[in-house]
């Protein structure tokens, strides 16, 4: 079953008097539970594609369906709720809330949902923090953690709401190779354990060995799939 | 809500510098607002206490024919007040109204003075039944020399404030009858020329009447007085016995009403054709032409016969009314005017503020100026807070956009910002209000007094007594709330415009 379907996706950016064609017509689909990597050089359109799939940017043309829901038909509140309940984000720069500690950062999306009981939240948060190996750092603020630890917190936060899809834009770009490998291993493990669809972008060939499926993109167009 | 406040609280500590800037502005704003409100309340309370309790009462009754309401201290016009024509009917109403604690009928007006150079001066007189005056406004006057004239006795009480200008104009020093000259009170020029000092114990007033006639009356000075408060404002008035006032203004006196006429005098008054008075030789037949008579004898013979009469039977041109505690002035005014209308009594009730128009409007101006100052302070504070918060929102775009990206609605971010500002406002504003209250009590304890008339208006009396009431506290909270709300509107708009994509773009 396809969790994401993308058809004829185009995105243009005005840049002064010229128009930059970031995406020139993308068609592809992602099956539930996939561990998909979008690969391409810098400026190829990877981030733009992930932003549109993650409902934080709008396409110029084309359609994106998530679980048979056409996202262009949703208003701002519905899109926000879709991001909260069905999509998890992992950013290149971790983007944790600086004033909250590890536990509170992971807990944050669940508190926004408002329909979760305290015990349920606590159990879920503890399980995810344990899964990313940060039980000993629960009370630490982001500034007190290393880059790898911060990205682990971001992964836990992305998964805590039990989303259908986790989108990661170059999750290892700011990490050393050893930490990158451990992060990718962790993502893969959680993908298998939680049956959550992972889509991550990278331009690092080393990362590709962890991908279940690879979509190659160049100049805003898909140039190959493996 | 807990999450919002938790993040807001920690953000305040994280951005200590900005929080402190906003906090200090809120503190200063709240402090000035509290002190300002305290000053306004103190002024209102002081004016109310000093004017209502000592001079005017809550309500005044004047003739319906009276054009202007500002009948007291209207120093720009010498137009006499209209006489209350049906005072007896009005009195019946005042006697029967339960809401009225006491009332004092009186007569107020300008009298003229002629100095040795035949120049015309003037002084304000308030004609009263002195017993009723002292019952109505106990302790409102302090006798500094001489004594207060007794009920039924002719006399005037010169105010300390009016005494020196009277000396400058009349060129004689007024000393109460049987008084001892206190040289320390004399003006400097009088002290230097004591040998030629003219000291007198009576004064001649020229009353002005509606019919443009003037009547001169000589009134003995029985005492010199000082008003308990606002002496330099209320001191324009000298107190005179009501009968002297009536005579000077050609009013019907109590004695007139009580006079018993002989049958011949009644016949004369009943004569319809004035020509008849001169057609008969009877009128002048008993005139004595061959007896010599001294001036004093003539005065004695022509003096009004002292008969047992009721002072209240004569004419008045106003009445001061004190309401019972807790009675609303506005309601009492409405009721009295309705009753007067219904009964066809040609008088109207006015508030003390309307009656002391000059003071009232100056008080309103002082109050308006203070309010304007407070508003200006808050406006400046609002702009600075608005700017600081907007900058803070822009600096935190990436963080806020990330929150939006992972599922926070715009409302959550707005509540978070509002919570930050509210917490600052609550803490620093509260601190400002508390400090303001302390300042108010310190000012009261400092016992600051003034003799300056304008400052007396600002103070509401001779002493600066700012007052902080629970109503002021509520007003302060409302003002602080409004400032907080207004200053956060624009920053909230800035926050509302942050989109999730900003989290990626800023990376």
């Amino acid at each position: 079953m396809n969790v994401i379907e993308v058809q004829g996706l185009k995105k243009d950016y005005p840049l002064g008097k010229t128009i930059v064609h970031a995406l020139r017509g993308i068609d592809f689909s992602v099956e539930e539970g996939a561990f998909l990597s979008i690969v391409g050089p810098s400026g190829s359109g990877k981030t733009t594609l992930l932003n549109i799939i993650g409902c934080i940017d709008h396409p110029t043309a084309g359609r994106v369906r998530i679980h048979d829901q056409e996202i262009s038909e949703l208003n701002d509140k519905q899109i926000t709720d879709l991001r909260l309940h069905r999509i998890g984000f992992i950013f290149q720069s971790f983007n944790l809330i600086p004033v909250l500690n590890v536990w509170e950062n992971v807990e944050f999306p669940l508190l926004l949902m408002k329909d979760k009981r305290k015990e349920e939240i606590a159990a879920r948060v503890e399980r995810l923090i344990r899964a990313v190996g940060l039980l000993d750092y629960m009370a630490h603020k982001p500034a007190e953690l290393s880059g790898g630890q911060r990205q682990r917190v971001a992964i836990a936060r992305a998964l805590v709401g039990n989303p259908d899809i986790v989108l990661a834009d170059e999750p290892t770009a700011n990490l050393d190779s050893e930490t990158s490998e451990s992060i990718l291993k962790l993502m893969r493990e959680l993908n298998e354990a939680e049956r959550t669809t992972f889509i991550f972008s990278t331009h690092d060939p080393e990362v590709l060995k962890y991908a279940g499926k690879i979509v190659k993109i160049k100049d805003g167009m898909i140039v190959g799939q493996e | 809500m807990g999450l919002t406040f938790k993040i807001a609280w920690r953000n305040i500590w994280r951005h200590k510098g900005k929080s402190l800037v906003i906090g200090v502005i809120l503190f200063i704003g709240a402090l000035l607002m509290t002190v300002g409100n305290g000053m306004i309340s103190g002024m209102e309370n002081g004016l109310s206490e000093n004017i209502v309790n000592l001079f005017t009462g809550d309500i005044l009754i004047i003739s319906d024919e009276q054009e202007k309401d500002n009948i007291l201290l209207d120093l720009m016009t010498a137009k006499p007040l209209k006489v209350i024509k049906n005072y007896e009917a009005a009195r019946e109403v005042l006697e029967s109204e339960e809401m009225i604690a006491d009332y004092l009928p009186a007569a107020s007006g300008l009298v003229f003075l002629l100095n040795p150079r035949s120049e015309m001066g003037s002084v304000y007189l308030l004609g009263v039944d002195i017993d009723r005056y002292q019952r109505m406004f106990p302790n409102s006057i302090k006798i500094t020399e001489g004594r207060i004239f007794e009920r039924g006795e002719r006399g005037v009480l010169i105010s300390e404030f009016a005494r020196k200008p009277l000396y400058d104009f009349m060129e004689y020093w007024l000393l109460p009858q049987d008084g001892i000259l206190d040289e320390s009170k004399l003006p400097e020029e009088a002290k230097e020329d004591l040998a030629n000092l003219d000291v007198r114990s009576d004064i001649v007033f020229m009353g002005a009447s509606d019919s443009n006639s003037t009547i001169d009356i000589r009134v003995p000075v029985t005492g010199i007085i000082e008003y308990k408060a606002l002496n330099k404002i209320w001191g324009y008035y000298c107190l005179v016995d009501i009968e002297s006032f009536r005579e000077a203004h050609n009013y019907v006196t109590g004695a007139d009403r009580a006079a018993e006429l002989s049958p011949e005098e009644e016949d004369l008054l009943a004569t319809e054709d004035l020509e008849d008075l001169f057609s008969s030789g009877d009128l002048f037949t008993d005139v004595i032409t061959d007896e010599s008579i001294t001036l004093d004898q003539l005065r004695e013979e022509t003096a009004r016969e002292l008969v047992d009469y009721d002072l209240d039977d004569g004419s008045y041109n106003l009445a001061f009314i004190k309401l019972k505690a807790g009675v609303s002035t506005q309601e009492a005014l409405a009721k009295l005017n309705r009753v007067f209308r219904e009964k066809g009594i040609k008088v109207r009730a006015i508030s003390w503020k309307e009656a002391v128009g000059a003071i009232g409007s100056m008080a309103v101006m002082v109050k308006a100026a203070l309010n304007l100052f407070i508003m200006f302070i808050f406006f400046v504070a609002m702009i600075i807070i608005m700017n600081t918060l907007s900058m803070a929102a822009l600096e935190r775009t990436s963080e806020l956009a990330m929150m939006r990206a992972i599922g926070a609605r715009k409302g959550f971010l707005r509540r978070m910002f509002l919570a930050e500002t509210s917490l600052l406002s609550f803490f620093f504003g509260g601190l400002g209000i508390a400090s303001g209250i302390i300042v108010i009590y310190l000012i009261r304890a400092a016992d600051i007094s003034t003799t300056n008339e304008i400052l007396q208006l600002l103070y509401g009396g001779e002493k600066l007594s700012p007052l902080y009431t629970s109503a002021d506290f509520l007003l302060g909270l409302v003002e602080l709330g409004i400032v907080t709300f207004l200053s956060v509107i624009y920053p909230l708009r800035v926050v509302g415009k942050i989109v999730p994509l900003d989290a990626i773009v800023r990376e």
Side-chain angles (χ1 to χ4, degrees):
Chain A
M1 185 191 168
N2 288 336
V3 65
I4 298 168
E5 285 180 14
V6 176
Q7 288 179 330
L9 199 65
K10 289 183 182 174
K11 181 68 182 179
D12 298 335
Y13 291 111
L15 189 67
K17 289 179 181 175
T18 59
I19 301 287
V20 175
H21 303 288
L23 298 176
R24 297 163 183 265
I26 301 275
D27 296 284
F28 80 107
S29 58
V30 183
E31 284 182 0
E32 193 174 352
F35 197 73
L36 183 144
S37 175
I38 298 172
V39 188
S42 289
S44 59
K46 304 185 296 292
T47 300
T48 304
L49 179 59
L50 278 181
N51 288 345
I52 293 172
I53 293 170
C55 306
I56 58 177
D57 200 358
H58 305 284
T60 309
R63 295 193 317 165
V64 177
R65 294 174 73 85
I66 296 173
H67 271 303
D68 291 333
Q69 176 70 60
E70 171 65 51
I71 59 173
S72 63
E73 291 169 358
L74 304 177
N75 63 29
D76 185 67
K77 274 187 183 170
Q78 289 168 322
I79 285 179
T80 304
D81 285 347
L82 182 77
R83 284 199 300 265
L84 178 63
H85 292 279
R86 298 204 152 178
I87 304 171
F89 284 94
I90 301 167
F91 298 94
Q92 190 175 323
S93 301
F94 326 127
N95 272 351
L96 300 175
I97 300 170
V99 294
L100 300 182
N101 62 28
V102 169
W103 177 282
E104 290 162 341
N105 261 292
V106 176
E107 184 188 38
F108 185 74
L110 295 180
L111 295 176
L112 290 177
M113 287 178 188
K114 290 178 182 169
D115 58 351
K116 300 277 188 285
R117 287 181 297 110
K118 260 187 176 178
E119 302 77 32
E120 194 185 344
I121 290 172
R124 182 87 185 143
V125 171
E126 192 184 340
R127 194 164 77 80
L128 263 301
I129 292 177
R130 187 188 300 278
V132 297
L134 289 174
L135 267 182
D136 294 339
Y137 297 89
M138 284 194 305
H140 285 60
K141 298 267 175 65
E144 298 158 357
L145 301 172
S146 68
Q149 286 170 325
R150 288 185 209 179
Q151 199 60 301
R152 283 165 186 270
V153 177
I155 291 168
R157 184 182 67 185
L159 284 163
V160 76
N162 205 15
D164 300 325
I165 311 155
V166 171
L167 300 171
D169 185 20
E170 309 236 15
T172 56
N174 289 336
L175 303 174
D176 59 66
S177 56
E178 198 180 329
T179 313
S180 298
E181 198 169 331
S182 73
I183 289 292
L184 285 163
K185 269 184 186 169
L186 174 67
M187 285 166 58
R188 184 70 188 175
E189 282 165 18
L190 290 169
N191 162 250
E192 284 166 3
E194 305 273 334
R195 294 298 301 151
T196 306
T197 306
F198 271 76
I199 303 174
F200 60 97
S201 67
T202 184
H203 61 271
D204 182 358
E206 281 297 306
V207 173
L208 296 178
K209 60 186 178 194
Y210 293 96
K213 186 180 174 185
I214 297 170
V215 173
K216 291 180 179 170
I217 188 168
K218 191 179 177 187
D219 296 333
M221 293 171 72
I222 291 176
V223 291
Q225 296 192 38
E226 291 175 17
Chain B
M1 209 58 173
L3 178 66
T4 322
F5 273 99
K6 190 194 318 185
I7 296 176
W9 177 250
R10 290 186 190 173
N11 269 325
I12 287 171
W13 284 101
R14 185 176 166 223
H15 306 281
K16 287 190 198 82
K18 283 191 187 70
S19 302
L20 202 63
V21 168
I22 296 171
V24 167
I25 293 163
L26 282 166
F27 172 81
I28 294 171
L31 174 78
L32 292 174
M33 172 198 73
T34 306
V35 175
N37 284 341
M39 292 289 287
I40 291 170
S41 285
M43 182 187 77
E44 281 183 335
N45 184 61
L47 280 177
S48 175
E49 265 190 13
N50 288 325
I51 296 179
V52 172
N53 294 338
L54 299 177
F55 303 125
T56 64
D58 303 285
I59 289 175
L60 285 87
I61 303 287
I62 55 173
S63 165
D64 212 13
E65 293 171 4
Q66 186 64 38
E67 284 175 22
K68 290 180 181 174
D69 286 344
N70 56 334
I71 53 162
L72 301 172
L73 300 174
D74 182 16
L75 308 176
M76 304 302 287
T77 170
K79 215 171 177 184
L81 295 190
K82 300 285 184 188
V83 175
I84 297 175
K85 286 182 178 164
N86 39 5
Y87 166 68
E88 288 80 1
R91 181 174 58 190
E92 267 180 41
V93 173
L94 301 181
E95 294 281 354
S96 63
E97 278 299 337
E98 293 230 329
M99 60 190 176
I100 294 174
D102 200 1
Y103 70 96
L104 170 72
S108 160
L110 201 66
V111 285
F112 298 102
L113 308 160
L114 209 58
N115 71 5
R117 296 183 302 280
S118 297
E119 294 164 336
M120 192 90 93
S122 63
V123 67
Y124 273 88
L125 289 184
L126 184 67
V128 290
D129 171 344
I130 197 69
D131 283 4
R132 290 186 71 174
Y133 179 85
Q134 288 186 298
R135 189 182 76 198
M136 177 86 170
F137 302 117
N139 307 319
S140 75
I141 51 170
K142 186 175 77 178
I143 194 95
T144 57
E145 284 178 52
R147 62 178 178 82
I148 295 173
F149 55 82
E150 288 177 10
R151 188 167 192 267
E153 181 188 1
R154 299 302 173 100
V156 62
L157 300 171
I158 303 293
S159 80
E160 288 277 14
F161 178 74
R163 196 183 196 185
K164 166 76 168 54
L166 280 171
Y167 167 79
D168 292 338
F169 180 74
M170 302 298 284
E171 297 175 4
Y172 56 77
W173 184 246
L174 286 169
L175 188 68
Q177 289 176 324
D178 308 321
I180 299 163
L181 184 68
D182 181 354
E183 289 179 23
S184 66
K185 284 191 175 177
L186 290 173
E188 285 306 314
E189 60 270 29
K191 284 180 189 169
E192 288 166 9
D193 192 15
L194 264 180
N196 292 317
L197 179 67
D198 186 359
V199 179
R200 297 190 191 180
S201 294
D202 55 27
I203 186 166
V204 176
F205 296 130
M206 294 162 63
S209 75
D210 265 350
S211 55
N212 289 329
S213 60
T214 59
I215 298 161
D216 295 357
I217 59 159
R218 184 179 295 275
V219 185
V221 176
T222 67
I224 309 295
I225 55 165
E226 217 170 45
Y227 290 94
K228 188 182 170 189
L230 297 174
N231 200 51
K232 289 200 170 181
I233 294 166
W234 210 254
Y236 283 105
Y237 273 97
C238 295
L239 292 181
V240 69
D241 70 280
I242 183 68
E243 288 287 85
S244 296
F245 185 98
R246 286 167 176 159
E247 281 179 16
H249 289 82
N250 211 15
Y251 285 10
V252 174
T253 64
D256 292 337
R257 285 277 175 90
E260 287 179 13
L261 300 178
S262 66
E264 293 80 14
E265 287 170 320
E266 282 187 0
D267 280 349
L268 272 175
L269 288 171
T271 303
E272 287 184 5
D273 188 351
L274 290 175
E275 293 293 325
D276 292 347
L277 289 174
F278 304 98
S279 60
S280 158
D282 297 343
L283 193 62
F284 303 104
T285 49
D286 293 334
V287 174
I288 300 162
T289 55
D290 56 352
E291 277 186 31
S292 62
I293 188 167
T294 64
L295 187 61
D296 285 342
Q297 281 173 319
L298 186 65
R299 274 188 186 145
E300 201 174 310
E301 279 186 20
T302 55
R304 283 163 190 270
E305 193 179 349
L306 279 176
V307 290
D308 188 17
Y309 60 88
D310 187 351
L311 285 177
D312 211 20
D313 280 346
S315 298
Y316 297 106
N317 59 24
L318 66 113
F320 302 107
I321 295 172
K322 260 190 189 172
L323 298 172
K324 283 182 180 163
V327 176
S328 152
T329 306
Q330 288 309 313
E331 283 173 21
L333 275 171
K335 189 179 178 192
L336 280 172
N337 281 323
R338 194 180 65 241
V339 173
F340 291 144
R341 244 189 340 269
E342 284 168 2
K343 296 196 171 182
I345 304 169
K346 301 285 183 196
V347 296
R348 70 174 183 273
I350 58 171
S351 74
W352 69 269
K353 284 182 185 167
E354 290 165 322
V356 294
I359 291 184
S361 54
M362 281 181 82
V364 168
M365 278 167 63
V366 172
K367 187 178 173 181
L370 272 172
N371 276 325
L372 209 67
F373 174 70
I374 292 169
M375 276 175 65
F376 174 75
I377 293 289
F378 266 124
F379 180 74
V380 173
M382 228 168 62
I383 298 293
I384 300 172
I385 294 170
M386 196 186 290
N387 191 43
T388 314
L389 284 175
S390 301
M391 293 299 292
L394 289 172
E395 281 173 16
R396 283 155 61 186
T397 297
S398 180
E399 180 188 327
L400 299 170
M402 177 272 295
M403 287 183 181
R404 290 276 287 129
I406 63 174
R409 288 185 181 177
K410 284 177 186 175
F412 175 83
L413 301 190
R414 287 189 180 129
R415 281 198 301 278
M416 200 174 76
F417 245 73
L418 193 60
E420 273 187 52
T421 320
S422 302
L423 282 171
L424 286 172
S425 181
F426 179 77
F427 180 74
F428 286 99
L431 206 63
I433 290 175
S435 306
I437 294 172
I438 292 169
V439 169
I440 285 173
Y441 279 96
L442 287 176
I443 293 173
R444 285 179 75 91
D447 209 20
I448 301 165
S449 58
T450 182
T451 52
N452 181 286
E453 287 171 44
I454 301 298
L455 282 178
Q456 280 190 1
L457 276 178
L458 183 67
Y459 293 4
E462 282 162 13
K463 196 180 155 197
L464 178 60
S465 301
L467 190 69
Y468 202 72
T469 62
S470 51
D472 288 318
F473 180 68
L474 286 177
L475 178 70
L477 289 185
V478 170
E479 285 174 340
L480 198 61
I482 290 172
V483 168
T484 306
F485 178 72
L486 291 178
S487 55
V488 88
I489 288 177
Y490 181 71
L492 289 186
R493 283 192 65 188
V494 173
V495 169
K497 283 180 182 170
I498 291 173
V499 293
L501 192 60
D502 289 329
I504 313 295
V505 173
R506 301 255 168 167
E507 280 191 336

